[in-house]
Short mmCIF file of all heavy atoms in Angstrom, two decimals:
data_model
loop_
_atom_site.label_atom_id
_atom_site.label_comp_id
_atom_site.label_asym_id
_atom_site.label_seq_id
_atom_site.Cartn_x
_atom_site.Cartn_y
_atom_site.Cartn_z
N ILE D 152 1.84 16.20 17.84
CA ILE D 152 0.57 16.16 18.54
C ILE D 152 -0.55 15.62 17.70
O ILE D 152 -1.57 15.10 18.19
CB ILE D 152 0.18 17.57 19.03
CG1 ILE D 152 0.16 18.54 17.96
CG2 ILE D 152 1.15 18.05 20.13
CD1 ILE D 152 -0.40 19.98 18.36
N ALA D 153 -0.45 15.66 16.34
CA ALA D 153 -1.50 15.11 15.45
C ALA D 153 -0.92 14.83 14.11
O ALA D 153 -0.02 15.56 13.63
CB ALA D 153 -2.64 16.13 15.37
N LYS D 154 -1.35 13.68 13.53
CA LYS D 154 -0.88 13.36 12.22
C LYS D 154 -2.14 12.88 11.39
O LYS D 154 -3.13 12.42 11.95
CB LYS D 154 0.10 12.20 12.35
CG LYS D 154 1.37 12.51 13.05
CD LYS D 154 2.39 11.36 13.04
CE LYS D 154 3.60 11.77 13.78
NZ LYS D 154 4.68 10.68 13.68
N THR D 161 -6.09 9.18 11.08
CA THR D 161 -5.43 10.17 12.00
C THR D 161 -4.85 9.52 13.19
O THR D 161 -5.17 8.42 13.58
CB THR D 161 -6.50 11.21 12.37
OG1 THR D 161 -7.62 10.60 13.03
CG2 THR D 161 -7.01 12.03 11.25
N TRP D 162 -3.93 10.29 13.82
CA TRP D 162 -3.33 9.90 15.12
C TRP D 162 -3.23 11.12 15.92
O TRP D 162 -2.88 12.20 15.41
CB TRP D 162 -1.98 9.28 14.77
CG TRP D 162 -1.18 9.04 16.08
CD1 TRP D 162 -1.12 7.93 16.82
CD2 TRP D 162 -0.26 9.98 16.63
NE1 TRP D 162 -0.25 8.13 17.92
CE2 TRP D 162 0.27 9.33 17.81
CE3 TRP D 162 0.15 11.28 16.38
CZ2 TRP D 162 1.20 9.99 18.68
CZ3 TRP D 162 1.07 11.87 17.20
CH2 TRP D 162 1.56 11.24 18.32
N TYR D 163 -3.33 10.99 17.26
CA TYR D 163 -3.21 12.09 18.12
C TYR D 163 -2.37 11.76 19.29
O TYR D 163 -2.37 10.63 19.78
CB TYR D 163 -4.55 12.51 18.68
CG TYR D 163 -5.41 13.10 17.54
CD1 TYR D 163 -6.45 12.31 16.96
CD2 TYR D 163 -5.37 14.43 17.21
CE1 TYR D 163 -7.29 12.76 15.94
CE2 TYR D 163 -6.24 14.86 16.14
CZ TYR D 163 -7.17 14.08 15.60
OH TYR D 163 -7.99 14.60 14.58
N ARG D 164 -1.61 12.75 19.79
CA ARG D 164 -0.87 12.55 21.09
C ARG D 164 -1.94 12.79 22.19
O ARG D 164 -2.18 13.91 22.57
CB ARG D 164 0.21 13.58 21.14
CG ARG D 164 1.16 13.47 22.36
CD ARG D 164 2.09 12.33 22.34
NE ARG D 164 3.04 12.34 21.32
CZ ARG D 164 3.97 11.45 21.03
NH1 ARG D 164 3.98 10.30 21.85
NH2 ARG D 164 4.83 11.53 20.08
N SER D 165 -2.52 11.73 22.70
CA SER D 165 -3.68 11.84 23.52
C SER D 165 -3.53 12.64 24.77
O SER D 165 -4.40 13.39 25.11
CB SER D 165 -4.18 10.42 23.93
OG SER D 165 -4.43 9.71 22.80
N TYR D 166 -2.42 12.57 25.42
CA TYR D 166 -2.25 13.31 26.72
C TYR D 166 -2.16 14.78 26.48
O TYR D 166 -2.37 15.55 27.38
CB TYR D 166 -1.06 12.78 27.51
CG TYR D 166 0.35 13.23 27.03
CD1 TYR D 166 0.85 14.44 27.51
CD2 TYR D 166 1.02 12.51 26.19
CE1 TYR D 166 2.08 14.89 27.05
CE2 TYR D 166 2.31 12.94 25.68
CZ TYR D 166 2.81 14.11 26.21
OH TYR D 166 4.03 14.53 25.77
N VAL D 168 -3.73 16.40 23.41
CA VAL D 168 -4.85 16.80 22.66
C VAL D 168 -6.14 16.57 23.53
O VAL D 168 -6.97 17.46 23.54
CB VAL D 168 -4.98 15.97 21.40
CG1 VAL D 168 -6.29 16.11 20.72
CG2 VAL D 168 -3.78 16.22 20.45
N PHE D 172 -8.53 18.66 19.90
CA PHE D 172 -8.01 19.10 18.59
C PHE D 172 -8.51 18.04 17.48
O PHE D 172 -8.61 16.86 17.76
CB PHE D 172 -6.44 19.07 18.62
CG PHE D 172 -5.91 20.06 19.58
CD1 PHE D 172 -4.45 20.09 19.75
CD2 PHE D 172 -6.58 20.92 20.37
CE1 PHE D 172 -3.85 20.99 20.59
CE2 PHE D 172 -6.03 21.80 21.19
CZ PHE D 172 -4.62 21.88 21.37
N THR D 173 -8.62 18.62 16.28
CA THR D 173 -8.93 17.79 15.15
C THR D 173 -8.04 18.14 14.02
O THR D 173 -7.98 19.36 13.66
CB THR D 173 -10.43 17.93 14.79
OG1 THR D 173 -11.24 17.62 15.88
CG2 THR D 173 -10.74 16.98 13.60
N ILE D 174 -7.38 17.15 13.42
CA ILE D 174 -6.56 17.44 12.23
C ILE D 174 -7.37 16.92 11.02
O ILE D 174 -8.08 15.90 11.08
CB ILE D 174 -5.23 16.68 12.32
CG1 ILE D 174 -4.32 17.06 11.14
CG2 ILE D 174 -5.39 15.11 12.43
CD1 ILE D 174 -2.85 16.54 11.31
N SER D 175 -7.30 17.69 9.95
CA SER D 175 -7.97 17.36 8.74
C SER D 175 -7.18 17.81 7.56
O SER D 175 -6.23 18.63 7.66
CB SER D 175 -9.40 17.92 8.74
OG SER D 175 -9.31 19.36 8.77
N LEU D 185 -5.50 22.25 11.64
CA LEU D 185 -5.63 21.76 13.02
C LEU D 185 -6.60 22.67 13.76
O LEU D 185 -6.37 23.87 14.03
CB LEU D 185 -4.27 21.84 13.73
CG LEU D 185 -4.26 21.29 15.17
CD1 LEU D 185 -4.45 19.75 15.12
CD2 LEU D 185 -2.93 21.58 15.86
#
Side-chain angles (χ1 to χ4, degrees):
I152 58 174
K154 298 184 178 183
T161 58
W162 171 90
Y163 296 96
R164 183 74 64 182
S165 298
Y166 77 89
V168 172
F172 297 177
T173 303
I174 188 171
S175 61
L185 185 67

